[in-house]
Amino acid sequence: MSEQASAGSVLRIDGVHKWFGDTPVLRGIDIEVARHEVVALIGASGSGKSTLLKTINLLEGVDDGQIHLGETDITDPRIDADSIRGRIGVVFQHYNLFPHMNVLNNVTLASRQVFGVKRAAAEKRGLELLERIGLADKAREYPDRLSGGQQQRVAIARAIATDPELLLLDEITSALDPQLVGEVLDLVHELKAGGSTILMATHEMSFARRVADRVVFLKGGKIIESGTPQQIFDAPREEETREFLSRLRDPLA
Ligand SMILES: Nc1ncnc2c1ncn2[C@@H]1O[C@H](COP(=O)(O)OP(=O)(O)O)[C@@H](O)[C@H]1O
Ligand SMILES: [Mg+2]
């Protein structure tokens, strides 16, 4: 694809393959995410969602194919991984806050350490973010004093504190008690409304339907089908998609 064709896309994944030993885990993935777009990755456990997100954050290398963040080919072996990671916000399934730092320091750490923002400016922005997610009163608390849902909201605040071009969210509600899921998903919804560009793996189908502009169904490291939420959930074209969705609706089937 030419550089011109990529204009406006925040992320472009072209023909990405990845093996773990002899096992192919990503088998020719192509995905493009436009600015302000929210794309949901769905698929059974082991289908390659996390591995794909890790290749974008350079936690895993690719064996073939390219990934562009904006105009930058991040699969170029000469790339400076830290400078790429500084452009991407990431939230994983398990709370990833630093337990020995208070909430505000968790949120401001990257701006201070990676971008050299002065403490006062970073804290002002950090407090604004905490205000926005309704946790300003927790700024000086340590993570273990917060509920799982609050911790994930702080993890999201930390991920967006540096104004990343792209947010990667990997099953961020799957370790939460059901009653805490809503507050985290509502925050993601707000980020979308605020114009964030998001690629997220999720097993929350109703959430994917509500928030995603596009849904990509992965199976065995391949994209079986992608489309609007309405198309994927209401009128899937592929038998494998139908089978995956019907099993979710009726786990005993
Ligand atoms: N570090 C690793 N080494 C070997 N195999 C791995 C590693 N990480 C993931 N896998 C395998 O890769 C496949 C895809 O895993 P993953 O990307 O975690 O899927 P998902 O996030 O969709 O559940 C699985 O078969 C998993 O066992
Ligand atoms: Mg996963």
Side-chain angles (χ1 to χ4, degrees):
M1 217 180 278
S2 72
E3 289 293 323
Q4 240 114 25
S6 75
S9 78
V10 171
L11 179 72
R12 208 179 75 230
I13 303 171
D14 292 310
V16 160
H17 287 259
K18 167 92 189 157
W19 283 265
F20 283 120
D22 294 337
T23 312
V25 173
L26 299 175
R27 299 191 291 163
I29 301 289
D30 301 304
I31 296 176
E32 194 161 352
V33 183
R35 194 165 306 285
H36 308 309
E37 200 176 23
V38 176
V39 175
L41 298 171
I42 64 169
S45 176
S47 56
K49 304 179 297 295
S50 294
T51 303
L52 181 62
L53 294 175
K54 286 179 189 164
T55 64
I56 300 164
N57 198 32
L58 303 179
L59 294 173
E60 294 284 359
V62 304
D63 293 308
D64 199 9
Q66 268 104 44
I67 302 175
H68 282 82
L69 181 67
E71 298 293 309
T72 316
D73 177 1
I74 67 171
T75 41
D76 183 329
R78 292 163 301 180
I79 206 78
D80 170 21
D82 286 339
S83 77
I84 298 305
R85 291 195 193 113
R87 296 165 58 187
I88 300 176
V90 186
V91 184
F92 293 109
Q93 169 173 357
H94 294 286
Y95 327 130
N96 13 197
L97 300 177
F98 302 113
H100 58 289
M101 284 184 192
N102 72 30
V103 160
L104 184 59
N105 283 336
N106 263 282
V107 172
T108 58
L109 183 72
S111 343
R112 290 190 283 120
Q113 291 204 338
V114 183
F115 294 92
V117 177
K118 291 276 186 300
R119 180 178 281 269
E123 293 198 342
K124 182 168 178 287
R125 163 96 170 121
L127 285 168
E128 282 166 12
L129 276 172
L130 290 173
E131 189 80 46
R132 193 168 133 202
I133 66 170
L135 291 175
D137 59 326
K138 305 289 187 198
R140 310 287 169 185
E141 295 279 13
Y142 285 80
D144 65 356
R145 300 287 303 273
L146 274 56
S147 73
Q150 290 172 331
Q151 290 184 39
Q152 277 306 55
R153 282 151 63 202
V154 173
I156 292 170
R158 185 176 63 174
I160 62 174
T162 53
D163 292 322
E165 291 160 54
L166 173 68
L167 260 185
L168 303 176
L169 308 179
D170 192 1
E171 307 241 2
I172 60 170
T173 59
S174 61
L176 294 178
D177 292 337
Q179 75 273 18
L180 301 177
V181 167
E183 63 188 62
V184 175
L185 298 184
D186 285 348
L187 178 54
V188 177
H189 207 232
E190 282 170 34
L191 295 182
K192 175 191 164 77
S196 292
T197 305
I198 303 175
L199 178 62
M200 60 179 189
T202 185
H203 64 288
E204 301 273 352
M205 297 303 144
S206 58
F207 176 63
R209 180 192 282 271
R210 188 157 61 97
V211 172
D213 298 299
R214 212 141 37 81
V215 175
V216 175
F217 170 53
L218 279 180
K219 183 179 177 185
K222 269 193 173 157
I223 295 176
I224 302 298
E225 182 166 1
S226 74
T228 63
Q230 290 70 24
Q231 189 252 302
I232 296 290
F233 294 122
D234 298 337
R237 278 190 281 265
E238 302 297 328
E239 181 54 35
E240 288 164 303
T241 317
R242 282 196 285 275
E243 195 187 318
F244 170 71
L245 292 172
S246 70
R247 220 169 268 180
L248 286 181
R249 282 168 195 140
D250 182 2
L252 298 178

